[in-house]
Amino acid sequence: MNDMILELAKKIKSMYPQKDFIPLHEPKFKGNEQKYIADCIETGWVSSVGKYVDQFERMLAEFTGVKRAVAVVNGTAALHIALKIVGIQPNDEVLIPSLTFVATGNAVVYCGAVPHFIDVSTETLGIDPFKLDDYLRDVAVINGNVCINKQTGRIIRAVVPMHTFGHPVDIDVLFDVCERWNLIMVEDAAESLGSYYKGIHTGNFGKASALSFNGNKIITTGGGGAVLTNDEKLADYAKHLTTTAKRPHRWKYEHDQIGYNYRMPNINAALGCAQLEYIDDLIEKKRRLVQRYEQLIAGCQGVRLFKEPRFARSNYWLQTLIFDENICDINQVLETFNNQKVMSRPIWTPLHLLRPFQNSPKADLQVTEKLQYQIVNIPSSPYLGDDIDG
């Protein structure tokens, strides 16, 4: 097994011999980025108001198929606001996967709510809706059209599916669970720009959803995020809250509630506009990269490449290897790959194991606790798929 891991690392390193070190994911700039940013500088419109913010929001809405997009400073802020506008209240419980980036849990806590951790599916790496439904039958009851946790007495208000590494969860089944238990769905689509569930772009299913444009995402605005929704009133509310809840006026500073200084600067939106102009090409290269990795690991025992679920078309944001349980030590894999200057990383530490969340309610998390020792993300930059025939 050790020889196989070393050989696999060397094969990946040989994919791009021009580079001494292959990072996990880096952005690609090949369009109008410099032109649009220079326009911001030359005109002085570099802050949170400007034509590129409006244009970026329109382009996002058109690309994803939602009615409205509201650009914000990062994906965590986007999820925080998405939860706020759908009515998450202090002391509510919000069902989230434990196998997710810490921002999912943090955004719940920002609302004064309580993360309630649930398990994931091996088919999607996201929420397992069947297991969730069984779990709710044990711990919850509908009382006055509200889902109540029988153990804590708190309202279970919402569920937040996270589309792990760009792979959509089984939305239809999860939506049925939400209807049965009167739960609001808010999608954490931070990683899934360009991913589709049964032909519909992720972010269209939740009452509100969140995107991220961090430097390692499909497209980047440097730092940034967006709230997506098909509800015009919620979109207006999101825009109001993220602009310090300031009432429109030519000169007065009137704020009608506690708001947030979350608006995306124009100069960042300019970068995003340029990136969106060729996002289809970026995604196609990442999908071609899957073919390349399949060829590389062919014949390797005890490891497989994670593939998109049968009902989805994924952006393949991060390429993912899953090692057979008890075959090898993940830390040994990570050390070997990184020693070969092939950047790789494990999946996030499950949130229920982190100190801030150790007292949070949780379901049986057997799959989550196994997967943390099986998953390794490997280099996923679009240029690695450049020379694949499509």
Side-chain angles (χ1 to χ4, degrees), residues 41 45 55 70 90 103 120 126 152-153 157 181 199 218 224 269 303-304 329 337 369 379:
I41 295 171
W45 291 96
Q55 181 178 332
V70 178
V120 297
T152 65
R157 186 81 65 181
W181 294 97
I218 291 288
V303 61
R304 64 183 174 88
D329 181 354
F337 275 46
E369 292 180 347

Side-chain angles (χ1 to χ4, degrees), residues 78-279:
L79 186 55
H80 177 205
I81 293 301
L83 292 167
K84 289 282 290 186
I85 63 176
V86 303
I88 303 304
Q89 301 295 318
N91 213 40
D92 284 347
E93 292 184 10
V94 178
L95 299 161
I96 66 172
S98 181
L99 202 66
T100 184
F101 182 53
V102 70
T104 313
N106 287 345
V108 172
V109 176
Y110 294 168
C111 295
V114 179
H116 188 151
F117 298 115
I118 52 179
D119 212 0
V120 297
S121 161
T122 55
E123 183 182 15
T124 67
L125 304 182
I127 286 175
D128 184 333
F130 298 101
K131 192 170 183 179
L132 172 60
D133 192 37
D134 289 342
Y135 173 65
L136 289 173
R137 292 179 192 277
D138 289 336
V139 304
V141 63
I142 297 296
N143 187 351
N145 209 36
V146 174
C147 185
I148 303 293
N149 185 332
K150 293 186 293 187
Q151 299 173 348
T152 65
R154 292 187 290 250
I155 295 173
I156 302 177
R157 186 81 65 181
V159 61
V160 181
M162 197 278 285
H163 305 297
T164 309
F165 308 139
H167 302 292
V169 304
D170 194 345
I171 290 287
D172 282 349
V173 181
L174 184 59
F175 191 76
D176 288 343
V177 176
C178 289
E179 287 199 322
R180 188 173 303 121
W181 294 97
N182 293 322
L183 300 172
I184 301 167
M185 185 190 296
V186 174
E187 289 178 75
D188 184 345
E191 301 170 2
S192 64
L193 182 65
S195 295
Y196 297 82
Y197 176 80
K198 296 184 178 178
I200 300 174
H201 197 286
T202 55
N204 273 276
F205 304 94
K207 193 170 183 180
S209 305
L211 293 176
S212 172
F213 309 115
N214 188 32
N216 65 357
K217 293 300 192 293
I218 291 288
I219 67 166
T220 184
T221 56
V227 179
L228 304 180
T229 182
N230 286 306
D231 187 315
E232 294 282 358
K233 290 183 178 179
L234 288 184
D236 290 341
Y237 187 30
K239 198 132 187 171
H240 183 60
L241 279 183
T242 57
T243 316
T244 66
K246 182 180 181 296
R247 299 181 64 181
H249 194 279
R250 289 176 61 196
W251 59 80
K252 287 184 180 180
Y253 286 86
E254 293 185 357
H255 306 261
D256 55 16
Q257 59 185 294
I258 298 297
Y260 304 89
N261 190 12
Y262 279 177
R263 294 289 286 138
M264 177 183 284
N266 195 50
I267 196 166
N268 294 83
L271 188 63
C273 289
Q275 293 255 287
L276 271 177
E277 289 174 351
Y278 56 90
I279 185 174

Side-chain angles (χ1 to χ4, degrees), residues 28-37 39-40 50-63 69 71 193 213 218-225 264-280 282:
K28 185 169 186 175
F29 304 111
K30 64 173 189 177
N32 289 312
E33 288 89 350
Q34 290 188 349
K35 175 183 176 181
Y36 295 165
I37 290 173
D39 182 47
C40 292
K51 68 178 183 180
Y52 289 108
V53 175
D54 296 336
Q55 181 178 332
F56 186 52
E57 291 177 341
R58 288 193 299 269
M59 292 175 73
L60 277 175
E62 181 179 356
F63 180 78
L193 182 65
F213 309 115
I218 291 288
I219 67 166
T220 184
T221 56
M264 177 183 284
N266 195 50
I267 196 166
N268 294 83
L271 188 63
C273 289
Q275 293 255 287
L276 271 177
E277 289 174 351
Y278 56 90
I279 185 174
D280 289 335
L282 296 175

